[in-house]
Amino acid sequence: MAMTASRHRGPSGSDRPRPSRPWTVHVPFGVVVLLVLAAALRILQYHWREGAVLVGVALLVGGLLRAVLPEDRVGLLAIRGKVVDVVTYAALCAAVFYIALTITGGPFDLSS
């Protein structure tokens, strides 16, 4: 019988399997979090429209990463099934873009 996960002694002295997933599985989620933090910074600087667009970009990146990465590499971006996740990310991205880009009087308003 082959062991796929190494074992180590915990604080209670019991043997338990060591997690076999490396920390890199959380990199896609970290990218999305960094985009959201950049959006929060823009919003705090009173550029809320640009911040909202960055939130939409974060959702778009999250959806694209969820679509192209295999199940064992997607980390915390996986919530439900792949199709449901991608459709949800895309719908939320479209809603945020629509709201951010249709409000008049901002930097993206082409009529002024």
Side-chain angles (χ1 to χ4, degrees):
M1 179 166 110
M3 299 287 290
T4 58
S6 62
R7 295 197 172 269
H8 68 285
R9 290 221 179 259
S12 64
S14 64
D15 284 338
R16 63 176 187 209
R18 182 176 289 176
S20 61
R21 294 186 346 172
W23 63 271
T24 57
V25 74
H26 300 296
V27 170
F29 183 71
V31 169
V32 173
V33 168
L34 287 175
L35 286 169
V36 171
L37 289 174
L41 180 65
R42 292 305 289 162
I43 291 168
L44 289 173
Q45 294 172 338
Y46 297 103
H47 297 284
W48 63 270
R49 234 175 291 257
E50 294 172 17
V53 169
L54 278 173
V55 169
V57 168
L59 288 165
L60 178 65
V61 168
L64 289 174
L65 289 172
R66 180 67 173 113
V68 299
L69 291 176
E71 291 290 326
D72 60 339
R73 299 285 314 221
V74 76
L76 294 172
L77 293 178
I79 300 169
R80 301 280 181 194
K82 183 178 270 195
V83 173
V84 172
D85 286 347
V86 171
V87 168
T88 302
Y89 282 127
L92 290 172
C93 171
V96 170
F97 277 162
Y98 177 77
I99 290 168
L101 297 176
T102 57
I103 296 175
T104 59
F108 299 116
D109 188 11
L110 299 176
S111 63
S112 15

